Amino acid sequence: MSPTASGSCYDFSTYTGTYFLKGALAGGVCCSITHGAACPLDVVKTRIQLDPATYNKGMLGGFRQVIAAEGAAALATGLGPTAGGYFVQGWFKFGGFEFLKVNLAKSYGDQAAWDKRFMLNTISAAGAEFVADIFLCPFEATRIRQVSDPAMAKLSLPGAAQAIVAQNGLIGGFYSGFIPMLFKQIPYTIAKFVVQDFAAEAIYQVVAPKRDVSGATKFGISLTSGVIAGVTAAIISHPADTLLSKINKAGEGGEGNMFVRMGRIASSIGIKNLCLVGLPARCVMIGGITAGQFGIFDSMLPALGVEKFHWHNPASHH
């Protein structure tokens, strides 16, 4: 990209409301498709986390156990809230990340933005994820209840949501897992975006510093950097993911507020199990999901007529 008339190496006039809406749409689509496709993996992972004494035969063994006990259809339990919830979350996460990143780059100026790009990515990812989680939390609470409660599994998404509110109230039913969700999703999203950006930048430096590559090569770089980011993010966020699965299960952690229940659950599970139970399955699932998300997102934006914003070193534009 050549310097603009203002001397900036970014052409900020291209990053209009339309760009952010297209980014949000691409984010919603990529998250909905990937999380929906991973629903069977998520069902088995959640069962392993909620009932490790029964589901103690690993990921493949877990699949066999679920199918033997409940039939293959059980692997699609919670598909509705998963696809719907992650479309909404992806809309705000990817759209919000692009919005904050572009506006921070604008306010910092070219050199400072380049020097502090990982910090700015971190701020953008955390801010976008916080907003996205407000919308995702009710869907995720419904999904976990449907996976862990056979009676809830028989209900539609709206029916299950109404039943949860009737039993536990709006805040208790939908947002009891909000704090563990933030502890899970914000570090996960920061790692996902920061590591993916760093990995993609490193790959491009080797392959094509000016990023003048074919669509297939670009897609391959998106997938590769996505896998690296996904596995890193899965490891960082796994303890909170286990807590989130537990706290949304009816009766887990006893009575009391969210923090008291979380403390009891963490004590009963133990730190080692909190960090390791279900981790290999989560690394496979999140590595695949994240690779798919960046592959779809980075392909959809050009198809929608816009180019994804990326950081530029001002020194290479003079």
Side-chain angles (χ1 to χ4, degrees):
M1 184 187 293
S2 59
T4 62
S6 65
S8 172
C9 57
Y10 301 101
D11 182 5
F12 287 111
S13 67
T14 61
Y15 303 112
T16 61
T18 302
Y19 171 81
F20 300 122
L21 280 173
K22 288 177 178 178
L25 175 62
V29 169
C30 77
C31 287
S32 183
I33 288 173
T34 51
H35 281 278
C39 190
L41 279 170
D42 215 20
V43 168
V44 176
K45 175 191 72 73
T46 304
R47 298 285 174 91
I48 291 170
Q49 288 174 317
L50 294 177
D51 190 4
T54 301
Y55 295 93
N56 58 4
K57 297 175 182 176
M59 197 68 184
L60 290 175
F63 270 100
R64 293 191 193 102
Q65 285 176 285
V66 171
I67 292 168
E70 303 165 57
L75 294 172
T77 304
L79 179 59
T82 297
Y86 280 97
F87 180 87
V88 174
Q89 192 230 21
W91 176 281
F92 286 101
K93 175 156 70 177
F94 278 83
F97 180 68
E98 291 299 314
F99 178 80
L100 291 171
K101 187 171 60 167
V102 168
N103 281 283
L104 285 169
K106 205 176 197 176
S107 64
Y108 268 74
D110 291 4
Q111 190 60 54
W114 173 255
D115 294 339
K116 298 176 180 178
R117 62 195 182 282
F118 297 117
M119 180 193 81
L120 300 184
N121 272 349
T122 300
I123 294 168
S124 301
E129 186 60 53
F130 181 84
V131 174
D133 286 347
I134 294 170
F135 294 93
L136 174 65
C137 204
F139 288 94
E140 186 69 356
T142 305
R143 181 193 70 79
I144 290 172
R145 284 292 289 276
Q146 285 193 309
V147 170
S148 62
D149 184 339
M152 286 284 185
K154 294 173 184 174
L155 300 175
S156 64
L157 170 57
Q162 284 179 340
I164 290 168
V165 172
Q167 288 175 16
N168 306 106
L170 182 66
I171 302 300
F174 285 156
Y175 288 97
S176 62
F178 185 60
I179 300 301
M181 174 172 274
L182 292 179
F183 279 120
K184 165 196 164 186
Q185 288 292 137
I186 288 180
Y188 161 77
T189 299
I190 290 171
K192 175 166 129 176
F193 281 116
V194 172
V195 172
Q196 192 271 339
D197 195 66
F198 179 80
E201 187 180 299
I203 295 168
Y204 274 114
Q205 282 301 316
V206 174
V207 176
K210 293 185 177 179
R211 300 194 179 218
D212 49 352
V213 296
S214 68
T217 303
K218 187 181 286 188
F219 184 70
I221 292 171
S222 296
L223 290 182
T224 305
S225 57
V227 169
I228 295 166
V231 171
T232 305
I235 293 167
I236 288 170
S237 63
H238 187 67
D241 183 60
T242 303
L243 272 181
L244 181 65
S245 291
K246 290 280 188 182
I247 205 165
N248 276 313
K249 186 179 179 184
E252 283 286 343
E255 298 299 317
N257 65 40
M258 197 186 303
F259 293 102
V260 171
R261 290 175 63 207
M262 281 168 59
R264 287 199 198 104
I265 291 167
S267 298
S268 66
I269 296 172
I271 296 298
K272 182 182 175 184
N273 287 335
L274 199 62
C275 295
L276 298 178
V277 169
L279 181 59
R282 183 164 160 77
C283 283
V284 171
M285 186 180 85
I286 299 300
I289 283 175
T290 307
Q293 284 176 0
F294 284 108
I296 294 168
F297 184 79
D298 290 354
S299 300
M300 266 193 78
L301 286 187
L304 291 169
V306 294
E307 281 299 319
K308 181 181 174 182
F309 174 92
H310 66 269
W311 303 104
H312 289 283
N313 182 355
S316 65
H317 292 273
H318 298 304

